[in-house]
Amino acid sequence: MAQQRKPIIAPSILAADYARLGEEIAAVPDADWIHVDIMDGHFVPNLSFGYDVTRAVHRVTDKPLDVHLMIENPEKWVDHYIDAGAACVIFHVEATDKHVELAQHIRSKGVRAGFSLRPGTPIEDYLDDLEHFDEVIVMSVEPGFGGQSFMPDQLDKVRTLRRVIDERGLDIIIEIDGGISATTIEQAAEAGVDAYVAGSAVFGADEPNAAVQELRALASK
Ligand code: DX5
Ligand code: ZN
């Protein structure tokens, strides 16, 4: 399917050196967004950081913060991330039974709203509600940890979303998250992805900004 936009590359600071976060972010000037992974040790087994770190990141960069909440009770916490400077707040549909209301709330604060799905969650149940969202994150690993292997079967979800979004003329970004690297990004691009999260492939590289450029070039092919 045809791409809708120039590929968006969103390095995930989950894979950065937390003692040097400002320098790590400054080392990827060609990134489009910064992806901020919030893990609470409950929705996923791992713990990362919270809204104070998100706010600190916002202070050191002008890039839009793509805040991926892998947490229980997102209703209780979204305002903290909005206040911290998120450009888009993405919560998991498995963590709430009020996904439309929550998206409306986020948008009412002038912030973009997104939802994400675990690999085992079908997209079909959410297609009727797409108009309430600005972004969908398709997880191509089980959420919780960086550095896992890409799950190509998740691209079926991307293809479904691409078709429905294009048919309805919706303005929604399809983002893929997990295991994106120079060897996997082209298949994601072919399936119709607009935005690519990359943690270890960027911050694990010797030259993080060169890795961003390479990923964008491959996704643009
Ligand atoms: C995983 C996170 C990802 C993670 C990706 O639960 O949502 O954003 O940082 O890391 P890589 O790119 O290393 O798979
Ligand atoms: Zn993420």
Side-chain angles (χ1 to χ4, degrees):
M1 288 257 178
Q3 289 301 119
Q4 296 293 291
R5 307 172 168 83
K6 174 173 168 282
I8 293 164
I9 307 296
S12 167
I13 55 168
L14 188 69
D17 177 350
Y18 301 160
R20 303 170 42 251
L21 259 188
E23 289 166 54
E24 293 273 75
I25 292 165
V28 287
D30 289 336
D32 298 287
W33 299 345
I34 299 297
H35 186 79
V36 181
D37 284 308
I38 309 297
M39 304 182 183
D40 67 350
H42 294 277
F43 181 75
V44 290
N46 197 6
L47 195 61
S48 59
F49 35 73
Y51 49 83
D52 284 335
V53 170
T54 305
R55 190 188 317 279
V57 167
H58 182 57
R59 277 200 292 265
V60 298
T61 182
D62 293 336
K63 295 190 191 298
L65 301 187
D66 190 48
V67 178
H68 179 191
L69 301 180
M70 289 164 275
I71 64 173
E72 290 181 355
N73 298 315
E75 301 85 352
K76 192 172 160 188
W77 300 104
V78 290
D79 285 350
H80 291 281
Y81 291 93
I82 291 167
D83 292 346
C88 186
V89 174
I90 304 100
F91 56 85
H92 268 264
V93 287
E94 302 89 354
T96 178
D97 52 11
K98 295 198 162 46
H99 57 281
V100 170
E101 291 89 334
L102 190 51
Q104 287 170 333
H105 173 76
I106 294 167
R107 281 178 156 184
S108 78
K109 304 275 181 173
V111 170
R112 298 170 63 253
F115 71 88
S116 183
L117 312 113
R118 291 181 184 278
T121 304
I123 186 65
E124 282 70 19
D125 295 347
Y126 302 96
L127 295 175
D128 287 345
D129 302 325
L130 285 176
E131 66 193 284
H132 297 285
F133 293 88
D134 303 289
E135 185 173 324
V136 180
I137 296 184
V138 174
M139 291 304 302
S140 42
V141 298
E142 203 58 60
F145 298 91
Q148 303 182 75
S149 298
F150 181 71
M151 298 167 69
D153 59 331
Q154 296 303 308
L155 293 178
D156 286 343
K157 256 179 235 179
V158 171
R159 292 185 192 98
T160 299
L161 278 165
R162 180 81 279 148
R163 177 174 52 74
V164 172
I165 288 169
D166 290 351
E167 276 172 8
R168 296 196 210 151
L170 298 171
D171 184 19
I172 300 176
I173 287 181
I174 304 173
E175 186 166 47
I176 191 113
D177 186 3
I180 288 295
S181 69
T183 52
T184 58
I185 196 166
E186 286 173 86
Q187 46 185 308
E190 275 165 32
V193 167
D194 303 298
Y196 305 82
V197 177
S200 41
V202 169
F203 290 111
D206 290 338
E207 293 184 46
N209 201 51
V212 168
Q213 291 169 348
E214 182 189 18
L215 290 172
R216 187 183 290 104
L218 290 167
S220 306
K221 263 176 149 180

